[in-house]
Amino acid sequence: RYFLEFCGIETEGEITKAPNRKTHYLFIGDSLVDAGCGFSGVIPKKTNSDYTCIAQGGLALCRGRGYYPRPSDRTLEDKREGMEDAFYNMQAPIALGEHTPYDLSKAETPDYIFISLATNDMLFTEQNVPGFLESFDIFVGKIRALYPNAPIYLPMPYADSKDGLRRDSFEKAALAAEKKYSDTKFISVRDWDVEISSDNVHPTAKGYAEYAEKLMETLNIK
């Protein structure tokens, strides 16, 4: 979540990698996943686990959608990256300059994966749904191919659009992925009483905690 620049180090000893904890989680999403008080922060803390969080506020799954600030060196013709592109880049979508591919072979191999997107995919009109469904299928398939042994969980977004199209679209995409890809599970939260803030998108602090608690309970994470 915070960028560091390595400048150098002087030592008479050796630098060694910290030992891995028993479990490593991978969280993929937007601001609802990026929030440190949300499930991506709560689960690793409560389980004493390692984790990687690849998330960006305002980020959509589909390229050309989303609401994050466009880097100032981009023209209006340059489409915003979606997670379908951003996941594979070393730089964040808001970063200036050319974005370079990340060497995923050097990344940790997760034991569990959470993918929660759709809030910023402009799913308030039917014409945006087919592109989302297609991109979701392709993205989950690529993550499954990268990490064939890790269960993939697809928890539904916290809040819906006014016409219900956001959650309906995510549910349709997630159920299709659940059927198509091994060890992939859709998590419905329709009956969860999660407190949403006045923007009708993000939870309150209480809502973030409620969602995390319900998610851990549903998946029997202890």
Side-chain angles (χ1 to χ4, degrees):
R1 292 191 173 93
Y2 304 100
F3 299 99
L4 301 177
E5 182 178 352
F6 181 72
C7 296
I9 189 168
E10 293 182 9
T11 176
E12 296 180 358
E14 295 182 354
I15 301 173
T16 59
K17 184 181 182 299
N20 291 337
R21 294 182 174 91
K22 183 178 179 180
T23 303
H24 191 110
Y25 289 93
L26 170 60
F27 302 99
I28 304 172
D30 46 37
S31 62
L32 304 178
V33 176
D34 190 38
C37 60
F39 67 87
S40 67
V42 172
I43 291 176
K45 184 176 181 179
K46 288 195 173 183
T47 60
N48 190 32
S49 302
D50 292 324
Y51 73 104
T52 301
C53 184
I54 301 179
Q56 170 74 58
L59 185 69
L61 169 64
C62 300
R63 65 182 61 92
R65 303 183 190 178
Y67 305 100
Y68 64 85
R70 188 190 306 272
S72 60
D73 65 342
R74 305 293 193 272
T75 67
L76 292 177
E77 288 71 30
D78 292 326
K79 293 184 177 181
R80 285 183 173 89
E81 291 179 2
M83 183 60 81
E84 60 184 341
D85 301 310
F87 179 83
Y88 306 98
N89 290 336
M90 183 176 292
Q91 296 85 1
I94 61 174
L96 296 172
E98 183 180 354
H99 293 179
T100 53
Y102 185 77
D103 185 354
L104 290 168
S105 68
K106 297 180 180 178
E108 296 286 354
T109 299
D111 298 293
Y112 301 95
I113 301 169
F114 289 80
I115 303 173
S116 185
L117 290 154
T119 298
N120 303 305
D121 274 279
M122 303 178 180
L123 295 171
F124 42 73
T125 175
E126 289 283 354
Q127 69 182 29
N128 289 335
V129 174
F132 173 79
L133 298 178
E134 180 180 8
S135 292
F136 194 94
D137 172 56
I138 293 172
F139 185 68
V140 174
K142 287 183 176 180
I143 297 299
R144 167 49 69 229
L146 277 172
Y147 307 112
N149 300 317
I152 297 176
Y153 300 120
L154 307 171
M156 182 180 280
Y158 294 77
D160 214 338
S161 51
K162 289 183 179 180
D163 56 5
L165 200 56
R166 180 187 298 146
R167 281 186 165 185
D168 286 349
S169 300
F170 182 89
E171 182 171 8
K172 185 175 181 178
L175 287 174
E178 182 180 73
K179 185 177 181 179
K180 184 174 181 178
Y181 301 110
S182 63
D183 210 1
T184 299
K185 182 177 177 60
F186 163 61
I187 310 296
S188 176
V189 305
R190 291 187 186 276
D191 60 345
W192 294 7
D193 186 18
V194 175
E195 187 174 88
I196 303 297
S197 67
S198 58
D199 68 4
N200 294 319
V201 176
H202 299 84
T204 61
K206 178 183 177 183
Y208 274 115
E210 292 167 342
Y211 190 101
E213 181 181 356
K214 287 282 190 181
L215 190 57
M216 293 183 69
E217 181 183 317
T218 299
L219 297 175
N220 196 28
I221 297 174
K222 298 178 181 178

